[in-house]
Amino acid sequence: ELTAFQKQSSKDPDQRHCNVPQNYPPNEPLGNWVSKQRTEYRLLQEAKKSRMTNERIRRLEAIGFEWSATEAIWNERLAELTAFQKQSSKDPDQRHCNVPQNYPPNEPLGNWVSKQRTEYRLLQEAKKSRMTNERIRRLEAIGFEWSATEAIWNERLAELTAFQK
């Protein structure tokens, strides 16, 4: 059943996932079960009593199951940002990751992009942040710009250069 959800999660096979929301209307027991698997895994990691086995871990990981819901959502948004970036321009030199904060086709993505910039700024200020070097590397690999102001300036310059031609 998990693989059926995985197939429904996206038409693009590269963006399929197992991140079933806990309150998933078509199948609430599946959402609860996914949450339970993460709980059992965490208990196992903490050397507490758990029903999670190495065989179950192997089978879940074989279909791309992610143990951290937070990390799973982060990866899902990164995939959405990568798709946005590829669709932002036909010219690869003008592609960007500047999702408006209130982006009607995908408001969670716009909010997520803003949050990444905030978390990065907090990290730079040596404050508590969820930003990691790995996340920075992955975002920069697709051309993410940390300053929204600088990103917009660069985008307008690219538009002006295209207009000039």
Side-chain angles (χ1 to χ4, degrees), residues 66-76 132 134-135 138:
E66 294 179 86
W67 298 105
S68 166
T70 303
E71 197 65 24
I73 291 168
W74 195 93
N75 288 327
E76 189 177 329
T132 65
E134 174 65 12
R135 287 179 174 184
R138 291 175 69 193

Side-chain angles (χ1 to χ4, degrees), residues 1-21 24 63 75-84 87 106:
E1 186 151 20
L2 195 55
T3 54
F5 173 83
Q6 189 178 23
K7 288 176 185 172
Q8 291 174 350
S9 66
S10 177
K11 291 179 184 175
D12 180 355
D14 293 335
Q15 291 188 19
R16 290 185 181 159
H17 60 78
C18 300
N19 306 324
V20 183
Y24 179 56
I63 61 168
N75 288 327
E76 189 177 329
R77 292 288 179 266
L78 180 63
E80 292 171 1
L81 180 61
T82 301
F84 173 91
Q87 295 170 356
N106 189 344

Side-chain angles (χ1 to χ4, degrees), residues 56-134:
R56 287 178 175 181
I57 292 169
R58 185 194 63 73
R59 290 174 65 192
L60 286 165
E61 288 179 348
I63 61 168
F65 190 85
E66 294 179 86
W67 298 105
S68 166
T70 303
E71 197 65 24
I73 291 168
W74 195 93
N75 288 327
E76 189 177 329
R77 292 288 179 266
L78 180 63
E80 292 171 1
L81 180 61
T82 301
F84 173 91
Q85 187 259 8
K86 287 177 182 174
Q87 295 170 356
S88 66
S89 176
K90 290 179 183 177
D91 181 352
D93 293 333
Q94 292 187 15
R95 291 183 180 158
H96 62 82
C97 298
N98 305 324
V99 182
Q101 191 163 359
N102 295 316
Y103 180 57
N106 189 344
E107 288 191 24
L109 179 60
N111 291 328
W112 182 84
V113 165
S114 177
K115 180 75 171 166
Q116 300 318 296
R117 289 184 172 124
T118 299
E119 292 295 327
Y120 182 79
R121 181 181 46 76
L122 291 171
L123 182 68
Q124 298 302 306
E125 296 170 356
K127 295 181 178 174
K128 185 176 179 180
S129 170
R130 292 185 175 165
M131 185 56 62
T132 65
N133 289 334
E134 174 65 12

Side-chain angles (χ1 to χ4, degrees), residues 136-153:
I136 292 169
R137 184 193 64 72
R138 291 175 69 193
L139 285 163
E140 289 179 347
I142 62 167
F144 190 85
E145 294 179 86
W146 297 105
S147 166
T149 305
E150 191 69 19
I152 291 168
W153 193 93

